[in-house]
Structures are given as C-alpha cells and as structure tokens.
Amino acid sequence: MTVEEVQEGEAKVGWAREHMPVLARIRKRLEEEEPFGGVTVGMALHVEPKTAVLVETLRAGGAEVAITGCNPLSTQDDVARYLDTVDGIACFAEHGVDEEEYYEAIDAVLDREPSVVIDDGGDLVFRLHEERRELLDGVEGGCEETTTGVHRLRAMERDGALELPVVAVNDTPMKRNFDNRHGTGESTLSAVMSTTNLQVGGKTVVVAGYGNCGRGLAEKFAALGARVIVTEVDPRRALQAHFGGYDVKTMDEAAAEGDLFVTTTGNVDVVTGDHFDRMRDGAVVCNAGHFNVEINLDDVEEMAEEHREPRPGLREYTMPDGRNVSVLAEGRLVNLAAPLGWGHPVEIMDLSFAIQALSAEYVLREDLEPGVIEVPDEIDVMVAELKLRTSGIAIDRMTEEQRDYFESWRHGT
Ligand code: NAI
C-alpha cells in the first residue's frame, strides 16, 4: 500500500467525518472525559469510512482500538491502511481474504485482549466463547450491530451459553427504524443500480422478507416505479406488506415473475435451484441480509452450463435452456460487498455509530449481568435529540397540563 493510497483512505474518512455531526458532539465529550482511558476495544465491523469515524471517536475517548472486518468483501483497503497508521489503532482487515485469513484477523484482534468487543454479525463474541475462552474473564461486555448477530446472541442465551453482557444495538428504535429501513433501502437500491446499470422503474422486484430492511427496500424500489412483490413466512409481516400496497406471494410463485430478487431475511436457502429454474431470462438476484446463505449459489453453479463476469460484481449464468440469470456480489450483502456498494448513507451511520459509542461506554460504566441487554432508552432518545439539534430542527415540548393529562387515568370524555 502506497502513501497515496493511505491519503486516499484518510480523505474518504474525512468526508464521512464532515457529515457525522452527532458523533462529533459525542466525541467532544469523550475527549474531555476519556471514559475509555486504558481500555482496549476489539471490533469486527465493515471496515469503511464511516466505521473509521467510530474508531476515531473511541480512540479520542482514550481507547486503544484493534479492528478487523466482518465480511471478506466489504473492507476498503485504503481506509484499513489509513487506520493502521493512526497511533493507538491496529487494523487487521484486508479485502478479499479467504475464510482462514478472515479468522486469523479475528484472532489478531482478540490477541490484543480487549475489555469491550463490538461486533457486526457476532463473530468476535462467538470466537471468544468457542476458541478463545481463556480471554473471556478479561472482557467486560460487548455491543452487537446487526439483526443476524442479535439472533445468534439470543440463541446462545437460550442455550445458557452466553457468558457476557452484550448490548443489542440493532434492536433499539434509533437503529432499526433508520439504519435497517432507510439505510439498507437506499444503499441496496444504489448498489443494484450501479452494479447492473439497469433501470428500476417498470421492473418487478421481489423482496424476500418484510422486516425492517425488507420494508425499506420495498419503499425505495417502489418509489422509483418498480412493482414490488413481497415473500414472507410471518403472517403479520405478510399482512403489513399487503396493507402497504405490495403483492404478497410465495417464492415459488414470485420466481417466475421477478426481474430482480433481493433477499433480506437473515435465513438460509431463500432462493434455491427450484427458483432459478423458473426465473425469466435476464433475471438478477442479490442479497442484502448479513450472511451469504440466502441464495443457494451451489445450486446455480451446478445448474449453469457456463458463466461470465460482464461487469464487476456481477456473474451471469447461462442455463441449459439458454436463459441467463445473474447474481450480484457472490450472494454477499450487495450494498457493502459489491465493488460499487458503499454501504449505508453517512448520515444514517452517524446515528447507528452514535448508539454504538454510547453503548460501549455504558458497558464499561455499568456492572451488567451476562445476557442480551437493551440499549437504555435515555441513550436512544439522546441520539434522536442530538440529530434534531444538529439538523436545526426544533420540536414542540409538552406543556405541564399536557403531561398531567397523559399521565393521569382520571380523564375521560
Ligand atoms: P427482521 O427480523 O426484522 O426481518 C426479517 C424478515 O424475514 C422477518 O419478517 C421474517 O419473518 C422474514 N423471513 C424469515 N425467513 C424467511 C423466508 N424463508 N422467506 C421469506 N421471509 C422470511 O430483520 P431485519 O432487521 O430486516 O434484517 C434482515 C437481515 O438483514 C439480517 O440478516 C440483518 O443482519 C441484515 N441487515 C443487513 C444490512 C445491510 O446493510 N445490508 C443492515 C441491517 C441488517
């Protein structure tokens, strides 16, 4: 990596920093109070510019930070190498590593003996419990960024296997109602458009999963004129999608109708060989869920007679009957793993990482019991208030009378 590349990484981080005013406010206080003084924070997150601003914020609060990626394809090498040049920060992430190298980098972070871990998908916490148990005693707790990671933690908790308190950052309203919905919606739309260079308006887009991410995807694709079909397994979510104005079908039905398929279920084998078999010529399939398990790539590789890569991040397969179907970003989360997938908008990550920074401080401050811990409501509300304030937006305050009315059970008609 050359000096110029490090400078490019630094410039990208600078641009993100300029647009993260909430984190800037928090950084100012952390700099004064240094709650992370003498503490090592270990992180496995997508190593890209917005994450680098979170790392800088924790460093400003006194932390030594060791970081690696949480996905082999989402690391931006120039940003990773820039981070590595900063005093007190060690970055082990590299783009395109294989599975063995990926876990070597996770181990390199754990070798620094962190007292707080910040995960996106649960790999650090899982590794600590399975392979590096000797380090568990020294860890005060952690924070988890995404839905899939929280699912994993809850499964560990159910099995009595979780020995640390871990804050479910994903589940707090200021994360899931903004990052999952608007962030995944906008960044996936933009990644699909730039990777394919195809139009969205007039297309049929099949969105698998109508959770926070799926709802955002449906809204953003529909806003550009797509017809959206939703597939679900949860009757309440399916009904929400129906009332939201979308067609709801099974994947078996939708497979023959979609021009574009986006999975965001956090589940396995949502699009399989049977579905590829029914797809239209020219169909494009991608995933926005955390792990690369939603599209069964083995099936399509086995079925296809040949494949090619006409554009970066796009593999087109020719089926025995002559139809072409394409898969984006090797079935990994397209908004971060496609070559032109830049992840969520900066302003969105300002909110999510503000929650992360404050939750990491909370883990250190409180003596928490092992288990999945909710983000305290004060932190969630504080981040919303800071965002409004830094956006120059004022809201009404309840009068004394209104507060009394809300809090009393005596008022009726
Ligand atoms: P969620 O739990 O709110 O929604 C998932 C939905 O998928 C649920 O309604 C569930 O019923 C449905 N589902 C499960 N199996 C299904 C199947 N076989 N077919 C159809 N629907 C099915 O989760 P959320 O927050 O929407 O996250 C979804 C995934 O996206 C997770 O893996 C999460 O980690 C990931 N994520 C990705 C981001 C990105 O930047 N690409 C950002 C945030 C989350």
Side-chain angles (χ1 to χ4, degrees):
M1 183 72 40
T2 62
V3 174
E4 288 74 32
E5 280 165 313
V6 172
Q7 284 168 347
E8 274 172 30
E10 185 173 8
K12 282 188 193 170
V13 176
W15 168 257
R17 199 188 301 118
E18 274 176 44
H19 296 86
M20 299 177 89
V22 177
L23 219 41
R25 291 277 179 105
I26 292 168
R27 176 181 176 147
K28 221 167 165 200
R29 179 181 62 76
L30 295 182
E31 247 162 2
E32 283 160 22
E33 298 175 9
E34 291 215 343
F36 295 102
V39 169
T40 298
V41 178
M43 301 169 72
L45 296 182
H46 300 289
V47 176
E48 47 93 275
K50 287 98 70 181
T51 308
V53 180
L54 171 63
V55 171
E56 290 178 341
T57 305
L58 298 171
R59 176 72 193 125
E64 298 269 326
V65 182
I67 179 166
T68 185
C70 63
N71 181 302
L73 292 187
S74 63
T75 297
Q76 294 179 29
D77 281 334
D78 49 3
V79 173
R81 300 292 72 82
Y82 157 66
L83 277 177
D84 218 18
T85 63
V86 180
D87 178 48
I89 299 173
C91 182
F92 303 100
E94 216 180 302
H95 183 91
V97 288
D98 62 25
E99 197 168 313
E100 197 181 327
E101 293 162 327
Y102 175 83
Y103 282 105
E104 275 170 15
I106 293 270
D107 278 332
V109 168
L110 294 177
D111 287 342
R112 299 288 171 117
E113 302 186 8
S115 346
V116 177
V117 287
I118 302 183
D119 253 333
D120 186 332
D123 282 341
L124 278 179
V125 165
F126 191 69
R127 191 82 173 170
L128 268 171
H129 284 74
E130 289 288 302
E131 310 279 341
R132 307 295 305 270
R133 296 192 56 78
E134 77 281 4
L135 298 174
L136 267 175
D137 270 353
V139 184
E140 299 209 23
C143 303
E144 172 53 54
E145 171 76 7
T146 199
T147 315
T148 286
V150 174
H151 279 171
R152 265 179 121 178
L153 290 169
R154 290 205 193 281
M156 287 175 81
E157 192 177 33
R158 267 197 309 277
D159 289 351
L162 183 60
E163 297 177 41
L164 294 174
V166 185
V167 179
V169 167
N170 178 75
D171 291 2
T172 203
M174 284 303 295
K175 162 60 167 74
R176 64 184 146 84
N177 294 339
F178 297 88
D179 176 308
N180 299 37
R181 180 169 162 193
H182 297 287
T184 309
E186 283 195 27
S187 59
T188 300
L189 178 68
S190 119
V192 166
M193 289 177 78
S194 51
T195 307
T196 62
N197 198 207
L198 297 176
Q199 187 173 334
V200 166
K203 294 273 164 56
T204 297
V205 177
V206 179
V207 174
Y210 195 72
N212 294 299
C213 294
R215 180 177 173 189
L217 286 165
E219 285 167 353
K220 308 295 173 189
F221 279 99
L224 282 203
R227 169 195 170 219
V228 173
I229 300 175
V230 169
T231 72
E232 251 299 342
V233 292
D234 178 330
R236 287 175 291 193
R237 291 273 171 90
L239 207 53
Q240 279 176 7
H242 174 62
F243 278 21
Y246 308 113
D247 287 344
V248 176
K249 298 184 183 236
T250 63
M251 185 56 89
D252 282 352
E253 291 171 315
E257 295 185 36
D259 299 300
L260 169 69
F261 296 76
V262 190
T263 56
T264 181
T265 67
N267 211 341
V268 68
D269 284 345
V270 177
V271 177
T272 63
D274 284 348
H275 305 125
F276 279 109
D277 219 15
R278 289 171 209 197
M279 282 178 196
R280 291 178 175 175
D281 180 35
V284 173
V285 185
C286 66
N287 169 45
H290 187 77
F291 286 122
N292 58 335
V293 295
E294 304 209 18
I295 302 165
N296 192 321
L297 275 191
D298 289 346
D299 279 1
V300 69
E301 296 269 350
E302 216 168 276
M303 291 161 74
E305 295 216 314
E306 55 181 65
H307 63 75
R308 65 202 75 79
E309 286 178 15
R311 294 178 58 81
L314 188 157
R315 182 172 278 194
E316 186 178 43
Y317 297 89
T318 302
M319 297 297 167
D321 60 6
R323 282 172 310 122
N324 288 322
V325 294
S326 301
V327 176
L328 307 186
E330 301 175 21
R332 295 191 181 274
L333 75 182
V334 67
N335 56 333
L336 279 147
L340 293 173
W342 300 116
H344 290 359
V346 178
E347 297 91 331
I348 292 281
M349 295 318 293
D350 192 22
L351 305 178
S352 302
F353 287 159
I355 303 271
Q356 279 287 6
L358 296 174
S359 297
E361 188 188 17
Y362 173 69
V363 165
L364 276 180
R365 200 179 54 226
E366 305 292 325
D367 193 16
L368 300 167
E369 291 293 316
V372 179
I373 312 282
E374 278 183 26
V375 173
D377 207 42
E378 310 87 80
I379 290 183
D380 203 61
V381 173
M382 185 197 300
V383 170
E385 281 175 344
L386 278 173
K387 179 63 185 168
L388 286 171
R389 210 175 305 149
T390 56
S391 307
I393 299 171
I395 60 169
D396 288 327
R397 302 272 163 209
M398 271 199 256
T399 61
E400 196 82 351
E401 197 185 5
Q402 287 170 332
R403 196 176 300 281
D404 282 352
Y405 179 82
F406 260 30
E407 284 170 7
S408 167
W409 52 269
R410 291 183 190 281
H411 303 290
T413 36

